[in-house]
């Protein structure tokens, strides 16, 4: 049984210069007071990713916590869910290694091309996730860390001429763009969308780089060489250490991140050691991205995700 907590004071403790904070003093087993929900939302808008430790919550409680911030979606637009909970997406390191082998890639390939590379979740749909809540379920004794990067800070770190260039560009995002085997398959059947290269955050008004190595195929209107070079510059920018935070997981750790202003990379070392690592994700439905020039994302293949 849950009960509404009256506690509205807790600590937000930044853990890196541009992104990330530990939340101390919130018990996610409780039904949170509206003031707590609102304050956590403000902290998330500022710090982009929040970390909670020692949260032994059930699947129902994880879903209920995420639902404070909007409608919870099905687990994944393409892949399956976890058992009886349609909202739970399970990420198993051993399954990821198997998937990588099945589609003809190695988890040891460079991050720009690999299945475990930097990415913003499900940008191949027209309304990518608003935020995600990820719980550590099976955590290795060492390794298995996740990185997040602040895409707003990365955008602001670009020179003014480059910001002016990318503000008006659009890019195609596709499911499973990272594999030669996948590229050779039925491209018409894979979900795809056109997004602005820079999106305006609907709550803060901040501008963020909105391309990622895992799902972005190419920039419209540019030659193949120009697209690759510009995407490479942006990918290098979002990976710069000063914009990132590294999180070392423990059992029952929780990470909540704003998918509209971050990209993430994990587990870092799954391709090097046989990690036993399982995390479970709940996703809140997102809005349709809008660029600085007012361009609104468009569906190419598939439909909005709910």
């Amino acid at each position: 049984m849950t009960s509404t907590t009256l506690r509205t004071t807790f600590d937000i403790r930044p853990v890196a210069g541009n992104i990330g904070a530990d939340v101390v003093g919130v018990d996610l087993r409780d039904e949170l007071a509206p003031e707590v929900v609102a304050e956590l939302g403000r902290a998330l808008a500022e710090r982009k990713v929040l970390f909670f430790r020692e949260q032994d919550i059930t699947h129902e409680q994880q879903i209920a916590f995420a639902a404070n911030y909007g409608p919870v979606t099905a687990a994944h637009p393409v892949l399956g869910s976890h058992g009886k909970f349609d909202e739970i997406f399970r990420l198993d390191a051993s399954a990821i290694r198997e998937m990588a082998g099945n589609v003809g890639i190695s988890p040891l390939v460079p991050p720009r091309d690999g299945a475990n590379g930097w990415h913003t979740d499900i940008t191949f749909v027209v309304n990518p996730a608003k935020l995600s809540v990820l719980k550590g379920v099976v955590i290795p004794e060492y390794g298995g860390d996740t990185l997040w990067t602040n895409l707003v800070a990365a955008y602001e770190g670009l020179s003014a001429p480059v910001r002016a260039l990318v503000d008006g560009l659009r890019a195609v995002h596709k499911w499973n763009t990272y594999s030669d085997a996948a590229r050779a398959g039925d491209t018409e059947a894979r979900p795809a969308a056109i997004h602005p290269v820079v999106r305006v955050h609907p709550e803060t008004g901040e501008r963020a780089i909105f391309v990622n190595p895992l799902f972005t195929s190419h920039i419209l209107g540019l030659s193949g060489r120009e697209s690759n070079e510009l995407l490479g510059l942006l990918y290098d920018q979002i990976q710069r250490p000063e914009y990132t935070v590294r999180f070392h997981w423990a059992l029952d750790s929780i990470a909540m991140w704003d998918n509209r202003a971050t990209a993430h990379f994990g587990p870092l070392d799954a391709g090097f050691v046989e990690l036993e690592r399982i995390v479970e994700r709940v996703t809140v439905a997102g809005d349709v991205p809008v660029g600085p020039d007012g361009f609104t994302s468009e569906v190419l293949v598939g439909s909005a995700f709910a």
Side-chain angles (χ1 to χ4, degrees):
M1 177 179 297
T2 61
S3 60
T4 301
T5 178
L6 297 178
R7 181 171 184 172
T8 58
T9 59
F10 52 89
D11 290 332
I12 303 292
R13 301 175 182 174
V15 294
N18 277 304
I19 182 173
D22 287 330
V23 179
V24 180
V26 172
D27 189 337
L28 299 183
R29 294 172 299 180
D30 294 325
E31 181 182 345
L32 301 180
E35 300 93 324
V36 174
V37 172
E39 185 58 33
L40 288 174
R42 286 189 287 270
L44 184 64
E46 179 181 352
R47 299 304 303 172
K48 314 307 183 193
V49 56
L50 301 179
F51 305 118
F52 305 78
R53 296 288 190 178
E54 298 180 351
Q55 301 286 338
D56 184 15
I57 58 174
T58 65
H59 289 123
E60 292 93 341
Q61 289 165 336
Q62 184 179 358
I63 294 166
F65 173 56
N68 286 305
Y69 299 96
V72 173
T73 69
H76 193 275
V78 179
L79 305 175
S81 60
H82 170 52
K84 66 178 182 178
F85 293 93
D86 292 338
E87 304 90 345
I88 300 290
F89 181 52
R90 172 171 282 207
L91 292 138
D92 185 327
S94 61
I96 291 172
R97 286 192 293 270
E98 181 179 355
M99 177 198 71
N102 288 342
V103 298
I105 64 174
S106 166
L108 295 176
V109 294
R112 185 173 301 169
D113 300 316
N116 285 338
W118 285 103
H119 65 285
T120 298
D121 284 336
I122 63 171
T123 61
F124 51 86
V125 299
V126 72
N127 61 326
K130 174 182 179 181
L131 61 84
S132 297
V133 177
L134 189 68
K135 179 186 178 184
V137 177
V138 176
I139 301 301
E141 184 176 350
Y142 62 90
D145 296 355
T146 302
L147 290 174
W148 278 267
T149 186
N150 182 339
L151 298 179
V152 172
Y155 171 83
E156 293 173 348
L158 296 169
S159 66
V162 173
R163 292 198 304 269
L165 170 64
V166 297
D167 276 351
L169 296 177
R170 305 164 190 180
V172 173
H173 295 235
K174 297 179 180 179
W175 164 247
N176 207 8
T177 63
Y178 51 80
S179 159
D180 289 339
R183 292 190 185 104
D186 181 6
T187 57
E188 296 301 319
R190 290 188 279 124
I194 301 173
H195 294 302
V197 170
V198 175
R199 75 173 295 181
V200 178
H201 196 286
E203 297 172 11
T204 68
E206 297 171 314
R207 298 183 184 188
I209 295 172
F210 202 63
V211 292
N212 68 87
L214 188 55
F215 298 129
T216 303
S217 168
H218 61 282
I219 297 175
L220 293 172
L222 303 187
S223 69
R225 178 181 178 183
E226 291 169 339
S227 174
N228 288 338
E229 292 291 339
L230 185 52
L231 286 174
L233 182 150
L234 295 174
Y235 296 159
D236 288 343
Q237 179 74 357
I238 69 176
Q239 293 179 70
R240 289 176 57 173
E242 61 263 39
Y243 304 133
T244 68
V245 63
R246 180 169 180 161
F247 185 60
H248 182 64
W249 290 91
L251 182 64
D252 295 330
S253 293
I254 299 283
M256 177 172 73
W257 67 92
D258 187 336
N259 203 56
R260 301 162 298 183
T262 63
H264 54 281
F265 182 128
L268 291 169
D269 38 17
F272 300 89
V273 291
E274 295 289 319
L275 299 176
E276 184 180 7
R277 177 187 186 272
I278 298 173
V279 292
E280 293 177 341
R281 188 183 76 199
V282 173
T283 299
V284 174
D287 56 320
V288 178
V290 178
D293 61 353
F295 171 75
T296 302
S297 296
E298 299 174 354
V299 173
L300 282 177
V301 181
S303 59
F305 182 53

